Amino acid sequence: MAEEVAVDYTLNNPDTLTKYKTAAQISHKVLETVSGWCVEGAKILSLCQKGDKLLEEEIAKVYKGKKISKGISHPTTVSPSSYITPYTPLSTDVEEAATLLKLNEPVKIQLGAQIDGLGTIVCDTILVKADKDEDGEVSGRDADLMLATYYANELLLRLMIPPGLLASGSEEDKKKAAAEKRPTQSKISQMLETVAKSYDCNLVEGTTSWLFERNEIEGKKKLVLNPPDKEGRSDGVPEVGDVWGVEMGISLGSGKVKTIDQRPTLHRRTTITYQLKRPSSRQILSEMVKKFGNFPFSLRQLDDERAAKVGVVECVRSNVLRQYEVVTDKDNAPVARLLTTIAITKNGLVRLGAPPVLDVSLYKTDKKITDEQILKILEQPTARSTGAKGKNKKKKKKAAKKTVDEDEEESSDDE
């Protein structure tokens, strides 16, 4: 009998990037749809339920008949104004289940899909409108928050690029660029805080970006911004071949956080094994492993929500499951978050799962970034153009500007 050939799940295998991109396309489609549903008076629970249903429908359409796992890498969560962590209420918690979106509040929508254990997660912040078709200029503190978050995120993405990766010029110039010292955790936090303070905002403490691996969204590397204590240390550095979930959090308040007395509904399996005593606990764990593997899930996604609320207690107490506490801004100030799944290739960053590019022309404020070093970094591309020579030359000459998405698509041509 022939031995099974081990599958290469690194970015060296083109199939890996294809699976990531397929998952990302689903995430983008559902994010766009859920964002359109987020209008004044919409019920958060309904948004989460409908988002998950749409995720499942879209996932079912791809890789049909293939013997690979696929599913939700992060349930649909909709976090109100001051909430920092992903929020998804339960139908059996009556008071929370009735929570409605408020006009103009910044809500954070997070969700994701996975193909063959290769997950992409995306988070966007939008301002709640009175009507889904409403569009127009935003001013005041709302504009400050959205612009600070957008530019801080763009800066962080550029700081994730290994030194010299996109360097041009002679071989000597490239070697010199590659030898440049990477910015430290402290320096990165300082630069991002400078962007935030340019708009009279603050970086959310403990904002963490993680290395993504197959069946793992909290890998061996992490980058902790503005850590609240010495335990919030970063581990490892971004390198070519990595896939990261890059997170940005900005607050109109102090940026300090607090854990509130609210039921954690988002959980995730750990690597710890334990002989659970309660039948309900064993049943919950079995269902969770079968449906979600090592990816986060909400108790509302399980067959019996009431039984899940009971069974999960022993699972958490024995550390078989990790629960995500509900964390908000300490001052109850509005918070914005973004999460981008990126792949680092030899040609730069590929934004696999990313929030839509902010139309900054719609956001009016008298505040701006003045730091010359930061402005210079923000002008730099995140990927090298690798389009076929001679292809669409006339179109390229006429094009006055490329969007971030177009740059990323070009970067993936030669991976």
Side-chain angles (χ1 to χ4, degrees):
M1 185 175 177
E3 293 186 6
E4 289 188 13
V5 179
V7 179
D8 179 8
Y9 286 105
T10 71
L11 294 183
N12 294 326
N13 182 357
D15 288 344
T16 297
L17 199 57
T18 298
K19 290 172 182 174
Y20 270 123
K21 287 183 175 181
T22 302
Q25 288 169 358
I26 294 171
S27 301
H28 287 154
K29 182 174 182 177
V30 178
L31 176 66
E32 181 181 7
T33 302
V34 175
S35 297
W37 293 335
C38 290
V39 295
E40 182 184 14
K43 188 178 290 188
I44 289 180
L45 173 60
S46 297
L47 294 171
C48 295
Q49 291 172 328
K50 292 195 297 182
D52 284 353
K53 183 181 179 185
L54 186 55
L55 275 171
E56 291 169 352
E57 290 172 354
E58 294 300 320
I59 291 167
K61 296 176 183 177
V62 301
Y63 286 88
K64 290 182 177 180
K66 304 289 185 181
K67 291 185 178 180
I68 60 173
S69 65
K70 57 182 182 176
I72 295 175
S73 63
H74 193 286
T76 305
T77 59
V78 179
S79 306
S81 180
S82 63
Y83 283 54
I84 296 170
T85 49
Y87 176 67
T88 172
L90 304 180
S91 60
T92 51
D93 290 338
V94 180
E95 186 176 343
E96 288 187 46
T99 306
L100 306 179
L101 295 184
K102 300 175 183 177
L103 184 64
N104 295 327
E105 73 170 325
V107 296
K108 285 70 68 178
I109 307 163
Q110 184 162 317
L111 52 85
Q114 62 90 4
I115 305 295
D116 202 8
L118 304 172
T120 62
I121 302 174
V122 61
C123 176
D124 189 24
T125 295
I126 65 169
L127 299 173
V128 175
K129 305 292 185 181
D131 183 87
K132 67 177 182 179
D133 296 322
E134 180 186 339
D135 201 5
E137 293 185 354
V138 176
S139 60
R141 297 298 281 148
D142 289 338
D144 293 338
L145 177 64
M146 298 296 282
L147 289 171
T149 307
Y150 172 72
Y151 285 119
N153 188 59
E154 288 299 313
L155 177 61
L156 178 57
L157 290 172
R158 284 159 175 77
L159 294 175
M160 297 289 290
I161 301 172
L165 184 62
L166 302 179
S168 57
S170 65
E171 287 302 315
E172 188 65 30
D173 291 335
K174 293 178 181 178
K175 287 182 181 179
K176 185 177 179 181
E180 289 182 4
K181 190 176 180 181
R182 291 175 180 266
T184 62
Q185 174 190 27
S186 176
K187 178 63 175 177
I188 292 174
S189 292
Q190 180 186 342
M191 294 176 74
L192 294 170
E193 193 69 66
T194 298
V195 172
K197 289 187 179 299
S198 298
Y199 294 93
D200 198 18
C201 298
N202 282 291
L203 186 63
V204 173
E205 67 177 1
T207 298
T208 305
S209 300
W210 289 93
L211 177 72
F212 282 7
E213 298 170 331
R214 184 170 182 254
N215 294 317
E216 180 58 74
I217 62 167
E218 294 181 4
K220 299 173 183 176
K221 301 179 185 179
K222 64 179 179 179
L223 171 63
V224 184
L225 304 174
N226 195 15
D229 50 50
K230 292 182 180 179
E231 292 182 5
R233 286 182 169 278
S234 296
D235 293 313
V237 294
E239 298 173 299
V240 171
D242 285 355
V243 173
W244 283 72
V246 181
E247 184 170 350
M248 176 51 56
I250 298 291
S251 170
L252 284 180
S254 65
K256 302 295 183 182
V257 305
K258 65 180 178 182
T259 300
I260 62 174
D261 186 19
Q262 205 165 69
R263 183 195 304 276
T265 63
L266 199 64
H267 296 76
R268 181 170 171 265
R269 186 187 180 190
T270 69
T271 57
I272 295 173
T273 57
Y274 179 81
Q275 186 60 45
L276 298 169
K277 297 178 175 61
R278 296 176 64 97
S280 61
S281 303
R282 294 195 294 270
Q283 182 180 346
I284 290 302
L285 183 62
S286 175
E287 182 185 355
M288 181 277 300
V289 170
K290 183 178 179 181
K291 286 185 175 180
F292 312 109
N294 293 332
F295 290 101
F297 66 95
S298 168
L299 294 181
R300 63 175 172 74
Q301 293 175 287
L302 299 175
D303 292 340
D304 188 334
E305 187 177 292
R306 292 186 185 279
K309 288 162 68 173
V310 175
V312 76
V313 175
E314 184 186 6
C315 293
V316 172
R317 190 170 57 238
S318 58
N319 294 319
V320 172
L321 293 182
R322 170 191 169 187
Q323 68 180 20
Y324 290 83
E325 303 292 344
V326 182
V327 177
T328 68
D329 183 88
K330 191 174 183 179
D331 308 317
N332 293 322
V335 171
R337 280 180 57 249
L338 300 175
L339 195 153
T340 309
T341 303
I342 64 166
I344 305 177
T345 74
K346 63 183 180 182
N347 293 314
L349 298 190
V350 178
R351 302 190 196 209
L352 297 170
V357 178
L358 190 72
D359 184 351
V360 296
S361 67
L362 295 176
Y363 296 83
K364 307 298 181 182
T365 179
D366 57 355
K367 302 178 182 67
K368 62 180 181 179
I369 302 168
T370 57
D371 187 288
E372 292 298 328
Q373 181 188 13
I374 290 173
L375 289 172
K376 185 176 180 181
I377 295 174
L378 286 172
E379 290 176 356
Q380 297 172 0
T382 56
R384 182 184 293 113
S385 177
T386 59
K389 293 181 179 180
K391 183 180 179 181
N392 298 326
K393 276 188 176 181
K394 292 182 180 180
K395 290 183 180 179
K396 288 183 179 180
K397 287 180 180 179
K398 290 180 181 179
K401 184 179 181 181
K402 289 184 179 179
T403 64
V404 172
D405 287 342
E406 287 171 335
D407 284 338
E408 304 314 332
E409 285 174 6
E410 288 189 353
S411 75
S412 65
D413 289 344
D414 188 27
E415 285 146 13

